C-alpha cells in the first residue's frame, strides 16, 4: 500500500506497549483481567448505521431469514498493564445462530484484516459466505482497539487526507524525498496530537487480550476464530498468549510472522507482480482481443509507461482530484486483490490510456477508505498506528535507497512504491514492540492455515512459515491453487468443505491437502 497504508499483510497491518510480544512467555497466560470486566453483561441492541470512522453507509439489513444484526459495547482496559485503570469501548456485532440451541457450538469471532478494518461494518458485508457456519455458531465480529468505534485513532481530516494520498510516494530526487518525509511527519504528528493517549495501547498483543476478554464475556470456554490477512497475525499472537483457550481456528491469507517490515514489503512486491503477471496472461488468453496489450509483456510495458507519464503529468480523476502515479498504482494494486476485479482493472486502464482516470482513482479510494462522499474511515490512521505499535524497525531514506535495486528487480510496477512505504513509521511518536510477532503456541488446539498460491498481499510462502512458527502439532497446512487475496471467499468447493468441516465437526483435513 502507500506509505500510509502498509500492505500488511499487508496487511496490509504495532508500538511501545508495557507488555512485549511474548510478555506471558511461551505457552503462558496473559496478565490477569479485572474481575469486574470479565463478568460484564453485554447489552445487545439493533445496530445503528456504521459511523464515518467505520466507513459509513446504512444500518445492516436483516439476514434473508429475518435474523437481525445486533450490536453491543464491551469495556476493556485502555492499558492491559493496568487492568483496573481507565477503560475503552470495544464495538461488537453479531448474528445469532440459525440452528437449534442444542447444536450451537458457541460464537465464531471474525477479524477481516487491515490492520484497521472495521469488523462491525465488514461482517454483514461478507455474511452470505458464512451461511453454513451460522447453523452452529453465532457470527461475531468487532472493531479492534484503535479502529472505528473502538477508541478509533484520529489523525488528519478528510481534506488533509486527500492531499496526503496525492503525495508522490515514489520520489525521484532530493526535493521529492523531502516532500514525502515532510508529509509523513505531518501525518504522524497529527496522530499524536489527536490520539496521543491511545497510541501506546493499540498493539496486536493488546487486541489479543481484548479477544480473550471477549471470549469470556460471550460465555465461551474456548475462542473459535476465523482470521483473514492481518487477522491471522492477531490469531497467532492470541494463540501464543492463550494456547489453552484456542478452540477451532482458521487462518486464511496468512501473514508470514517471521518477517521484518522490509522483508514483508519485498515479499509483497513479488506477490503483486505475480498477480499482475497472471492478470496480463489472462487478458491476452481470452478469445477476444485484449484491449490493454497484444501480449502479456506488452500489457505490463504499457502499465509502466502509463505510470511514468502520470509521474510527469497527472490526468483528470475524480473531480477535483487528478489521477497521480501514486493513486494509479494504488488502484491497480486494489484490483489485484480479487480476480473478480480484473475486468475493472482492464476497463480502468483503457480509460486512463484515453486520459480518464476516474475508475483507477475509485479503486484507489476503496483501498484508502474513502467513500463517494469524500469521507474517510479511520482505516489509514488505524493501519499506521497498529503497524507502528507492533514493528520495532524505523527505516531511513538511506535504508530505502540501499534496497531500491532489489525492490525494482522484484517488481518494475510496485517495487519503488513498496520500498518507500518502509518510511511509514519514521518519526512515529511511540517505539515499536518487536522485530516480528511471536506466535509459537505449544499446547494449542489445531489451527487450519490456508495459503493461496496466487495471493498478492500475503504471499503463499507465509502460510508454511506460520505453520512452522506455531509449532509442532498445531498448524494444519492447506494449499489453494488460485488467484486473489484469501481462499475461503473464492468459491472453491474444496476449500469451503475443508474449512466448514473443521469448524462444524472439529475434523481437520490432512496437513498438506491441496485444493485446485
Amino acid at each position: 500500500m502507500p506509505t500510509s497504508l502498509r500492505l500488511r499483510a499487508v496487511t496490509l497491518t504495532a508500538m511501545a506497549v508495557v507488555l512485549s510480544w511474548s510478555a506471558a512467555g511461551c505457552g503462558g497466560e496473559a496478565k490477569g483481567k479485572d474481575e469486574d470486566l470479565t463478568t460484564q453483561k453485554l447489552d445487545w441492541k439493533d445496530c445503528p448505521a456504521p459511523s464515518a470512522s467505520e466507513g459509513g453507509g446504512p444500518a445492516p439489513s436483516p439476514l434473508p431469514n429475518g435474523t437481525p444484526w445486533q450490536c453491543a459495547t464491551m469495556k476493556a482496559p485502555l492499558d492491559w498493564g493496568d487492568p483496573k485503570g481507565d477503560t475503552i469501548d470495544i464495538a461488537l456485532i453479531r448474528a445469532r445462530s440459525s440452528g437449534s440451541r442444542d447444536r450451537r457450538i458457541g460464537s465464531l469471532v471474525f477479524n477481516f484484516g487491515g490492520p484497521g478494518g472495521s469488523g462491525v461494518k465488514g461482517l454483514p458485508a461478507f455474511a452470505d459466505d458464512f451461511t453454513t457456519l451460522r447453523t452452529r455458531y453465532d457470527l461475531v465480529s468487532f472493531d479492534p482497539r484503535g479502529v472505528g468505534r473502538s477508541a478509533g485513532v484520529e489523525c488528519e481530516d478528510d481534506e488533509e487526507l486527500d492531499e496526503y494520498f496525492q503525495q508522490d510516494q515514489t520520489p525521484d530526487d532530493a526535493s521529492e524525498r523531502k516532500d514525502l518525509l515532510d508529509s509523513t511527519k505531518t501525518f504522524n504528528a497529527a496522530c499524536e496530537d489527536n490520539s496521543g493517549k491511545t497510541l501506546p495501547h493499540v498493539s496486536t498483543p493488546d487486541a489479543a487480550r481484548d479477544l480473550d476478554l471477549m471470549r469470556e464475556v460471550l460465555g465461551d470456554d474456548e475462542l473459535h476464530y476465523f482470521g483473514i490477512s492481518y487477522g491471522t497475525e492477531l490469531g497467532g499472537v492470541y494463540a501464543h498468549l492463550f494456547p489453552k483457550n484456542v478452540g477451532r481456528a482458521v487462518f486464511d491469507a496468512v501473514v508470514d510472522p517471521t518477517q521484518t517490515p522490509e522483508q514483508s514489503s519485498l515479499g509483497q512486491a513479488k506477490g503483486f507482480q505475480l498477480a499482475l503477471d497472471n492478470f496480463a496472461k489472462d487478458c491476452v488468453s481470452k478469445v477476444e482481443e485484449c484491449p490493454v496489450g497484444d501480449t502479456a509483456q506488452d500489457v505490463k510495458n504499457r502499465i509502466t509507461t502509463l505510470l511514468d507519464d502520470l509521474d510527469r503529468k497527472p490526468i483528470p480523476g475524480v473531480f477535483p482530484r487528478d489521477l497521480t502515479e501514486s493513486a494509479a498504482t494504488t488502484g491497480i494494486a486494489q484490483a489485484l486483490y480479487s480476480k473478480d476485479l480484473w475486468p475493472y482493472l482492464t476497463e480502468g486502464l483503457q480509460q486512463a490510456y484515453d486520459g480518464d482516470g476516474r475508475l483507477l482513482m475509485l479503486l484507489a479510494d476503496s483501498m484508502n477508505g474513502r467513500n463517494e462522499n469524500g469521507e474517510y474511515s479511520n482505516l489509514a490512521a488505524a493501519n499506521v498506528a497498529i503497524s507502528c505499535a507492533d514493528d520495532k524497525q524505523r527505516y531511513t531514506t538511506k535504508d530505502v535507497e540501499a534496497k531500491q535495486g532489489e525492490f525494482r528487480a522484484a517488481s518494475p510496477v510496485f517495487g519503488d512504491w513498496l520500498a518507500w512505504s518502509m518510511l511509514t513509521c519514521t518519526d512515529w511518536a511511540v517505539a515499536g514492540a518487536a522485530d516480528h510477532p511471536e506466535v509459537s503456541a505449544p499446547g494449542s488446539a489445531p489451527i487450519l492455515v490456508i495459503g493461496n498460491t496466487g495471493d498478492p498481499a500475503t504471499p503463499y510462502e507465509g502460510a508454511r512459515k506460520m505453520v512452522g512458527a506455531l509449532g509442532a502439532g498445531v498448524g494444519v497446512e492447506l494449499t489453494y491453487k488460485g488467484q486473489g487475496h484469501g481462499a475461503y471467499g473464492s468459491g472453491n468447493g474444496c476449500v469451503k468443505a475443508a474449512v466448514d468441516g473443521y469448524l462444524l465437526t472439529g475434523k481437520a483435513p490432512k496437513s498438506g491437502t491441496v485444493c485446485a
Side-chain angles (χ1 to χ4, degrees):
M1 290 189 173
T3 56
S4 62
L5 290 182
R6 301 274 288 283
L7 286 178
R8 179 113 166 211
V10 329
T11 67
L12 344 176
T13 111
M15 149 179 168
V17 295
V18 176
L19 304 168
S20 72
W21 282 108
S22 54
C26 185
E29 298 294 329
K31 283 192 175 184
K33 295 179 280 291
D34 188 320
E35 196 63 30
D36 291 338
L37 294 180
T38 63
T39 58
Q40 65 185 292
K41 302 297 182 184
L42 298 176
D43 183 17
W44 294 101
K45 297 179 179 179
D46 290 342
C47 291
S51 67
S53 62
E54 291 171 315
S61 300
L63 292 163
N65 70 343
T67 299
W69 290 100
Q70 298 175 314
C71 288
T73 298
M74 181 185 79
K75 296 290 184 183
L78 170 64
D79 180 358
W80 274 106
D82 180 19
K84 294 184 182 294
D86 293 344
T87 62
I88 58 173
D89 291 340
I90 303 295
L92 308 180
I93 188 170
R94 76 174 180 187
R96 300 302 297 268
S97 171
S98 63
S100 60
R101 301 309 291 171
D102 63 325
R103 298 194 71 246
R104 178 182 176 275
I105 296 170
S107 298
L108 180 61
V109 180
F110 292 81
N111 181 282
F112 297 102
S118 166
V120 171
K121 180 166 184 178
L123 183 57
F126 299 121
D128 287 349
D129 291 340
F130 310 118
T131 300
T132 302
L133 298 176
R134 198 167 68 84
T135 60
R136 300 199 68 190
Y137 290 98
D138 295 345
L139 305 184
V140 178
S141 194
F142 63 107
D143 290 352
R145 57 173 58 217
V147 177
R149 283 196 173 104
S150 297
V153 173
E154 298 178 8
C155 297
E156 295 186 322
D157 62 26
D158 294 336
E159 184 177 343
E160 291 167 331
L161 285 171
D162 271 347
E163 183 177 349
Y164 181 63
F165 286 118
Q166 292 292 89
Q167 172 67 49
D168 187 341
Q169 295 160 5
T170 56
D172 300 312
D173 55 38
S175 176
E176 290 184 353
R177 286 194 293 274
K178 181 179 184 302
D179 288 343
L180 177 62
L181 286 171
D182 287 347
S183 177
T184 302
K185 288 178 182 179
T186 299
F187 179 90
N188 292 354
C191 300
E192 183 179 10
D193 290 343
N194 295 319
S195 298
K197 183 179 178 180
T198 306
L199 296 185
H201 307 294
V202 296
S203 73
T204 300
D206 287 323
R209 292 180 173 86
D210 293 341
L211 270 177
D212 202 56
L213 175 62
M214 194 182 306
R215 173 193 62 79
E216 291 197 64
V217 172
L218 290 169
D220 291 333
D221 293 331
E222 299 173 318
L223 177 71
H224 305 296
Y225 179 78
F226 200 134
I228 301 167
S229 194
Y230 163 78
T232 67
E233 181 176 320
L234 174 58
V237 171
Y238 178 88
H240 172 71
L241 293 175
F242 305 99
K244 302 298 184 182
N245 295 347
V246 175
R248 300 173 189 177
V250 174
F251 294 174
D252 187 9
V254 185
V255 172
D256 185 340
T258 69
Q259 291 184 328
T260 65
E262 176 194 319
Q263 292 167 335
S264 177
S265 293
L266 182 60
Q268 286 168 1
K270 296 174 182 178
F272 276 91
Q273 187 63 44
L274 174 63
L276 186 65
D277 292 345
N278 291 334
F279 159 76
K281 291 174 185 176
D282 180 78
C283 186
V284 299
S285 71
K286 304 295 186 187
V287 175
E288 303 86 359
E289 180 181 353
C290 177
V292 291
D294 296 329
T295 65
Q297 189 60 50
D298 185 40
V299 171
K300 292 181 286 185
N301 289 344
R302 292 190 68 188
I303 289 172
T304 56
T305 299
L306 171 67
L307 295 176
D308 288 342
D309 290 344
L310 291 173
D311 189 29
R312 290 188 292 270
K313 185 178 180 181
I315 61 176
V318 176
F319 184 81
R321 296 172 298 149
D322 288 336
L323 181 74
T324 62
E325 176 195 17
S326 296
T329 307
T330 304
I332 293 167
Q334 174 66 25
L336 295 175
Y337 268 77
S338 171
K339 193 172 182 178
D340 291 341
L341 295 176
W342 288 4
Y344 295 100
L345 178 54
T346 300
E347 185 179 352
L349 289 171
Q350 284 182 275
Q351 291 180 3
Y353 295 145
D354 290 335
D356 181 355
R358 283 177 295 177
L359 184 49
L360 287 183
M361 179 158 272
L362 287 172
L363 287 165
D365 286 347
S366 176
M367 179 174 276
N368 293 334
R370 187 187 195 270
N371 67 24
E372 60 186 7
N373 297 323
E375 297 173 333
Y376 286 87
S377 71
N378 89 315
L379 173 63
N383 183 283
V384 173
I386 295 167
S387 298
C388 298
D390 286 348
D391 297 334
K392 185 177 180 179
Q393 298 84 353
R394 298 293 184 257
Y395 298 106
T396 67
T397 54
K398 289 184 178 179
D399 295 325
V400 174
E401 290 164 352
K403 290 291 182 178
Q404 269 186 296
E406 190 173 0
F407 274 79
R408 287 170 176 168
S411 175
V413 174
F414 303 105
D416 274 351
W417 185 61
L418 284 161
W420 286 103
S421 76
M422 291 162 53
L423 297 181
T424 299
C425 296
T426 301
D427 300 307
W428 190 249
V430 187
D435 290 330
H436 54 78
E438 177 56 72
V439 301
S440 61
S444 168
I447 297 172
L448 182 58
V449 179
I450 310 169
N452 179 354
T453 57
D455 197 315
T458 50
Y460 168 68
E461 294 78 12
R464 183 156 296 174
K465 293 291 184 64
M466 176 66 81
V467 168
L470 288 169
V474 178
V476 177
E477 186 175 7
L478 175 68
T479 294
Y480 168 51
K481 292 186 175 181
Q483 302 296 330
H485 189 40
Y488 187 81
S490 69
N492 181 270
C494 172
V495 172
K496 190 175 190 305
V499 172
D500 291 353
Y502 181 47
L503 290 175
L504 295 174
T505 71
K507 184 178 181 180
K510 182 180 179 181
S511 191
T513 296
V514 176
C515 293

